Amino acid sequence: MFSKLKEKLKSWTKKVTEKTEEIPTEIVETPKKQSKKKNTAPKKKEIPEKPIKEETKLIQEEELKPDKPGFFKKAFSNIHKVTISEKEFEIYEEELQMLLLENNVAFEVAEKIVQGLKIKIIGKEINKKEIEIDIKNTLKEIIKDILIEPFEIKEKIKEKKSKGEPYVILFCGINGTGKTTTIAKIANSLKKQNISCVLAAGDTFRAASIEQITHHGDKLGIKVISQDYGTDPASVGFDAIKYAKKNAIDCVLIDTAGRMHTSKNLLNEIEKISRVTKPDLKLFIGESITGNDVIEQLKSFDSSIGIDGIVLTKADIDDKGGTALSVGYATKKPILYLGTGQEYHEIEQFDKDKFIERLGL
């Protein structure tokens, strides 16, 4: 995901280290002048080709390397260790921050990463053979600290079940983020973990929304509670919870209509749904490819109902990765799931180490 970032960092580390050493140049002796007395033609021997051949060979070998120079490459030939100065770091600091921003990393997060890297590597004596690994590992540590630690929904459901109460999850987000499909995916995942579910068709506004969630329920063998279009969505959620209590269902998943985060009236409506259903968990569904817009969306919903966790859809087509890195830090909410396709099984619990590996670090 951060391929361009990696290439630049390799180039940067190479330039920094090149300043620490002088590359010896090979001295080529010029041939002695021919005696004027001799009219014999000079031998066909021009300037020695050895240095040129070696240089050409080096260039050809560099071009044939499978991995082009990327973000962190350090090439030392005559020294074993190097110390990066603050002045050297500042030369590339702004460029590094810009590359993070280009990868959808929020400004405050990009700033934190750059400053964290600055603190950890300036003045540190690094072995020339390990510098790329050392800087990459430093970045991994910084990013891991930035990401909010997710929690297991399964454990929370079991805890509520021990009290004889169904665990209620309310889903919200703007239009078109794949909210209903995500609910079906999570319901399928919970069912496979022997957790019984009921779905509430709380989107009573969008055309065919009730049919859509009912279709998912039929395919998964999960009960769907619904009413007519135009019905108060809060009452649909309330009925689903009532059904779950009566039938000893472990978890209630409440769908809601997509709404723009800038609409106060629609946010007031979802606030009412939350007040009536009293969910144990409020999940925001957003697209990872939206970039930093998703942060503003989440902040609006969080202000209205208090979001507990995040699900990012379309993570499989996100070639940058900065949204997932930023959204949790900027809002202090954990990412719990990543949607990775259209099929029911194509959803995964968020894992810090796995995410960092996807970044290519």
Side-chain angles (χ1 to χ4, degrees):
M1 291 180 182
F2 278 14
S3 56
K4 188 176 179 183
L5 190 64
K6 287 170 62 184
E7 288 177 10
K8 280 291 183 181
L9 193 49
K10 281 187 179 179
S11 175
W12 171 62
T13 51
K14 182 178 180 180
K15 288 177 182 176
V16 170
T17 52
E18 281 175 349
K19 292 181 180 181
T20 63
E21 63 177 353
E22 291 291 330
I23 299 174
T25 55
E26 187 172 349
I27 299 172
V28 180
E29 292 184 5
T30 54
K32 292 180 179 180
K33 292 182 179 180
Q34 296 289 336
S35 173
K36 291 183 180 179
K37 295 180 181 180
K38 293 182 180 180
N39 286 325
T40 56
K43 293 182 180 180
K44 290 184 178 181
K45 185 176 181 182
E46 299 177 357
I47 298 174
E49 295 182 355
K50 186 177 178 182
I52 299 173
K53 286 182 180 179
E54 286 183 353
E55 183 180 358
T56 304
K57 185 179 179 182
L58 286 172
I59 293 170
Q60 290 172 343
E61 287 177 353
E62 187 67 25
E63 289 175 347
L64 291 171
K65 285 183 180 179
D67 295 319
K68 293 182 179 180
F71 213 152
F72 293 103
K73 186 152 187 169
K74 226 149 186 183
F76 295 109
S77 57
N78 298 324
I79 56 175
H80 297 291
K81 292 187 178 181
V82 66
T83 301
I84 299 174
S85 70
E86 185 170 354
K87 187 176 180 181
E88 288 169 332
F89 185 87
E90 285 176 355
I91 295 172
Y92 305 98
E93 183 176 355
E94 185 177 346
E95 185 178 11
L96 174 58
Q97 189 164 325
M98 285 302 299
L99 284 167
L100 288 167
L101 294 174
E102 287 173 11
N103 279 275
N104 284 342
V105 178
F107 178 79
E108 59 183 305
V109 183
E111 195 173 50
K112 183 175 178 64
I113 291 172
V114 173
Q115 290 305 311
L117 186 63
K118 183 177 182 179
I119 291 168
K120 289 180 179 290
I121 70 169
I122 285 180
K124 181 180 177 182
E125 197 174 57
I126 305 172
N127 189 300
K128 69 169 186 177
K129 294 180 179 179
E130 298 174 356
I131 187 162
E132 183 178 343
I133 296 171
D134 193 87
I135 296 178
K136 284 170 74 174
N137 287 339
T138 301
L139 268 181
K140 285 181 186 179
E141 290 173 12
I142 294 168
I143 291 173
K144 196 168 184 177
D145 288 341
I146 285 172
L147 294 168
I148 307 299
E149 192 68 42
F151 55 83
E152 284 270 3
I153 292 180
K154 180 180 177 180
E155 297 305 314
K156 290 186 175 292
I157 293 173
K158 285 183 177 180
E159 185 181 336
K160 189 77 181 287
K161 183 181 180 180
S162 66
K163 299 175 183 177
E165 294 284 330
Y167 191 81
V168 181
I169 306 176
L170 178 68
F171 294 81
C172 65
I174 69 165
N175 313 69
T177 57
K179 183 160 37 58
T180 304
T181 304
T182 298
I183 292 170
K185 288 180 178 182
I186 293 176
N188 180 56
S189 175
L190 294 175
K191 184 181 178 181
K192 288 183 177 180
Q193 298 176 70
N194 298 316
I195 295 172
S196 57
C197 300
V198 61
L199 307 179
D203 183 354
T204 59
F205 176 77
R206 179 172 60 89
S209 60
I210 296 174
E211 287 80 5
Q212 182 187 11
I213 196 168
T214 300
H215 174 70
H216 286 310
D218 291 342
K219 287 186 72 175
L220 297 171
I222 296 174
K223 176 72 175 177
V224 176
I225 303 298
S226 64
Q227 295 183 22
D228 295 331
Y229 286 104
T231 305
D232 183 359
S235 67
V236 181
F238 182 82
D239 285 351
I241 295 169
K242 187 177 178 181
Y243 177 88
K245 288 179 179 178
K246 184 178 179 180
N247 294 277
I249 303 295
D250 300 329
C251 186
V252 180
L253 290 80
I254 304 174
D255 191 10
T256 61
R259 62 202 71 223
M260 290 307 295
H261 61 292
T262 53
S263 174
K264 290 184 179 180
N265 290 336
L266 293 177
L267 289 177
N268 288 338
E269 183 184 73
I270 200 166
E271 186 180 352
K272 179 187 174 183
I273 300 171
S274 179
R275 189 170 63 252
V276 171
T277 59
K278 296 180 175 62
D280 300 286
L281 180 65
K282 287 158 279 188
L283 291 181
F284 172 83
I285 314 298
E287 291 182 338
S288 60
I289 57 173
T290 307
N292 289 317
D293 287 346
V294 75
I295 296 173
E296 295 307 313
Q297 295 166 13
L298 177 52
K299 284 180 177 179
S300 293
F301 280 94
D302 186 42
S303 177
S304 295
I305 62 173
I307 298 300
D308 302 302
I310 304 161
V311 180
L312 289 179
T313 61
K314 301 183 181 179
D316 54 315
I317 58 173
D318 178 20
D319 61 350
K320 294 184 177 180
T323 301
L325 180 58
S326 303
V327 69
Y329 177 81
T331 62
K332 302 298 182 281
K333 308 296 178 182
I335 299 169
L336 302 183
Y337 291 100
L338 292 177
T340 56
Q342 295 298 314
E343 301 298 324
Y344 291 131
H345 67 276
E346 291 179 318
I347 188 169
E348 59 185 51
Q349 289 182 312
F350 186 77
D351 181 275
K352 284 186 179 185
D353 294 326
K354 195 171 182 180
F355 173 75
I356 292 171
E357 186 179 332
R358 277 181 177 172
L359 294 180
L361 295 176

